[in-house]
Amino acid sequence: MDKIEFNLLKAEIEAQVKEIDKIYEEIKDREKGAKRNKARIESLGYKLHNLYCAFEDLFKIVARYFENQIRDI
């Protein structure tokens, strides 16, 4: 992996981590009062699904760069 590829990987990971952080904040917001509100519970479930997908996308980004090519940098 050359420096350009590494910088691109780093940028993609940073962007995905920002998305994950955003989803975590939305989950915290929806947790408030969720026990008494069906719509908030459903919204929280949707956000948890989004969080799972964001982590899955992060792993795909890493796998795309290192697939069958893991070596010392």
Side-chain angles (χ1 to χ4, degrees), residues 21-68:
D21 289 341
K22 177 182 154 198
I23 295 169
Y24 268 124
E25 289 302 315
E26 291 171 348
I27 287 171
K28 284 182 196 176
D29 180 55
R30 284 174 178 71
E31 277 183 313
K32 300 170 187 165
K35 291 181 182 179
R36 297 178 300 274
N37 186 318
K38 183 180 178 186
R40 280 192 177 260
I41 292 171
E42 290 172 355
S43 178
L44 184 56
Y46 176 72
K47 288 299 174 183
L48 290 171
H49 167 77
N50 290 348
L51 181 63
Y52 175 89
C53 290
F55 273 107
E56 186 177 46
D57 290 345
L58 176 62
F59 298 140
K60 286 178 183 177
I61 289 168
V62 173
R64 186 175 65 237
Y65 279 89
F66 293 105
E67 186 175 343
N68 299 323

Side-chain angles (χ1 to χ4, degrees), residues 1-12 65:
M1 174 182 298
D2 63 24
K3 188 172 181 168
I4 292 171
E5 289 176 316
F6 178 78
N7 287 336
L8 184 57
L9 171 62
K10 182 180 173 192
E12 287 189 53
Y65 279 89

